[in-house]
Amino acid sequence: TLLYTIKFEMSNCDKKDPKNQKDGTRVFKKMCLDGKISTYIGTREFVDYVGHIDPVAAVLLIHEMDWFTENPEYKVYAEIIATFRYGRDDLDVLGINFKKDLYTDSMQVYPVRGSPFCTTKIQEKLLKKLGAERAFPFTFELPAGIPSSVTLQPVKSDQSSKPCGVEYCLKTYIAKDMHETPDRKQIVDLLIKKITHAPDTSAPQPYIECAKNFMMSTNPLHVEARLDKEVIFLHSS
């Protein structure tokens, strides 16, 4: 399944006059393999400002409404998962996976429970563009304290598995029940990132020290650690 970047105009400005031209709205779209549903999202990076986190706002588009009318037992669910991967897939033995789900949340998107509402302007624009009869907005609020996205790039000789680190995935799927394993052809999964906002103001140099006593030693062990600066910018993918 391919991920498309779409750009569309939301204004009726005169395109002949460059002063009246406005930039289009860029969104990301991904469709499931059987073509029944698609997921639209305005950005794949969500910022943690320490005090609050950007909401994960997306829009579900149903391409085959007649199929859902003929099969009312099927519903569309959305799920967001934060996974910590700390080993290669080929090292899995005896059913032990080298990954752990740090956070998960899910909801039913269609049929709509209650009145659907938009939490962002991009959702409102998408509903006007796609049509409110087939498009349904949904939003996840990430809790405070969950880790940001981190990727540990493997060496060039090891490209056989996913890199270690923390990754976030937004998934929409068709199933009869939320806990049912869906058909792979009816899943839309989007990798997203949670990043942390770096403040512009400088702070004191981070420093910590501790001491620990051991039974067989007369003197305690002193350990201290410090960083050159509080904020270190890393160029990661």
Side-chain angles (χ1 to χ4, degrees):
T1 305
L2 298 179
L3 178 64
Y4 297 92
T5 303
I6 303 174
K7 191 176 182 181
F8 55 85
E9 300 276 341
M10 296 307 302
S11 60
N12 295 322
C13 61
D14 185 7
K15 294 185 178 181
K16 296 182 180 179
D17 188 358
K19 295 182 179 179
N20 294 331
Q21 291 185 8
K22 296 183 180 180
D23 294 334
T25 302
R26 177 169 294 178
V27 297
F28 297 92
K29 169 196 173 183
K30 194 172 183 180
M31 180 187 295
C32 65
L33 291 177
D34 68 356
K36 288 185 174 63
I37 60 173
S38 294
T39 302
Y40 290 77
I41 193 167
T43 178
R44 299 176 67 188
E45 294 185 348
F46 301 90
V47 184
D48 183 355
Y49 296 95
V50 182
H52 70 280
I53 305 176
D54 289 338
V56 181
V59 172
L60 166 72
L61 176 65
I62 297 180
H63 299 277
E64 300 182 12
M65 291 294 295
D66 294 338
W67 185 87
F68 284 94
T69 303
E70 297 171 358
N71 301 272
E73 67 274 13
Y74 285 94
K75 303 175 178 63
V76 182
Y77 300 96
E79 184 178 33
I80 186 169
I81 305 173
T83 304
F84 173 45
R85 187 182 301 276
Y86 52 92
R88 301 203 314 259
D89 295 336
D90 57 357
L91 295 178
D92 294 352
V93 293
L94 300 178
I96 300 176
N97 297 324
F98 290 91
K99 63 180 181 180
K100 180 180 180 181
D101 292 340
L102 302 178
Y103 172 77
T104 179
D105 192 11
S106 57
M107 68 173 66
Q108 178 177 312
V109 182
Y110 179 83
V112 180
R113 293 179 175 177
S115 300
F117 62 93
C118 299
T119 57
T120 62
K121 291 183 178 180
I122 187 65
Q123 287 178 318
E124 296 176 355
K125 292 181 179 180
L126 283 170
L127 258 64
K128 292 180 181 178
K129 184 70 177 180
L130 302 174
E133 299 81 9
R134 299 187 303 140
F136 305 91
F138 62 95
T139 303
F140 286 102
E141 297 287 346
L142 297 177
I146 59 176
S148 296
S149 300
V150 178
T151 300
L152 302 178
Q153 294 291 355
V155 295
K156 294 183 179 180
S157 60
D158 182 17
Q159 300 292 337
S160 59
S161 61
K162 294 183 179 180
C164 296
V166 178
E167 63 180 15
Y168 286 79
C169 181
L170 176 64
K171 181 172 70 173
T172 52
Y173 58 94
I174 302 173
K176 295 181 179 179
D177 185 78
M178 183 180 297
H179 305 290
E180 176 185 336
T181 302
D183 188 344
R184 293 184 61 183
K185 294 182 179 180
Q186 297 178 338
I187 299 176
V188 179
D189 52 351
L190 281 165
L191 290 180
I192 60 177
K193 292 183 179 180
K194 176 185 173 291
I195 59 179
T196 303
H197 171 69
D200 298 330
T201 58
S202 59
Q205 179 183 13
Y207 170 80
I208 189 173
E209 64 175 334
C210 63
K212 183 175 180 61
N213 294 308
F214 293 91
M215 183 182 301
M216 305 301 294
S217 177
T218 57
N219 298 320
L221 174 66
H222 293 271
V223 178
E224 65 177 42
R226 67 178 71 239
L227 295 176
D228 295 336
K229 52 186 177 180
E230 183 196 25
V231 179
I232 300 176
F233 295 96
L234 300 177
H235 299 282
S236 60
S237 60

